[in-house]
Amino acid sequence: YGNVSSVDERHRHRYEVNPDMVSQLESAGLSFVGKDETGCRMEIVELASHPFFIGVQFHPEFKSRPGKPSPLFS
C-alpha cells in the first residue's frame, strides 16, 4: 500500500485474535501490520520468514480490475 497511514477496504470480521495473545504470536514470528482504528482488531497479518504468507480480513478482489490489481496482489 506504499507506506500509507490508512487503508479503506470492504470487509467483515470473521475471525478475531485474542488481544491477550498478540504479543505471544508476534514473538513467534507473526507481524500484525494492519489494525482497525481502535488498534484492537487485527486486520492484516504477515509472516516475514515466508515469501507468500499474508492474511487479511478484507476482500482485495473487490477493488481489483483488469490491469489494476489491488495493492495486496501487486
Side-chain angles (χ1 to χ4, degrees):
Y1 285 90
N3 224 6
V4 297
S5 61
S6 178
V7 174
D8 184 35
E9 293 281 356
R10 181 177 165 188
H11 73 287
R12 60 183 158 161
H13 293 280
R14 293 184 182 166
Y15 303 102
E16 296 289 334
V17 177
N18 183 341
D20 297 335
M21 297 295 296
V22 170
S23 61
Q24 185 176 353
L25 292 167
E26 288 180 331
S27 68
L30 288 177
S31 296
F32 293 99
V33 297
K35 300 176 184 176
D36 73 347
E37 59 277 352
T38 67
C40 296
R41 286 190 171 146
M42 306 301 123
E43 301 283 350
I44 305 171
V45 63
E46 294 179 351
L47 183 59
S49 63
H50 193 282
F52 305 112
F53 186 98
I54 186 166
V56 297
Q57 288 272 30
F58 54 87
H59 298 276
E61 69 276 11
F62 290 157
K63 287 191 173 179
S64 289
R65 301 290 180 261
K68 187 179 178 195
S70 167
L72 184 68
F73 297 131
S74 295

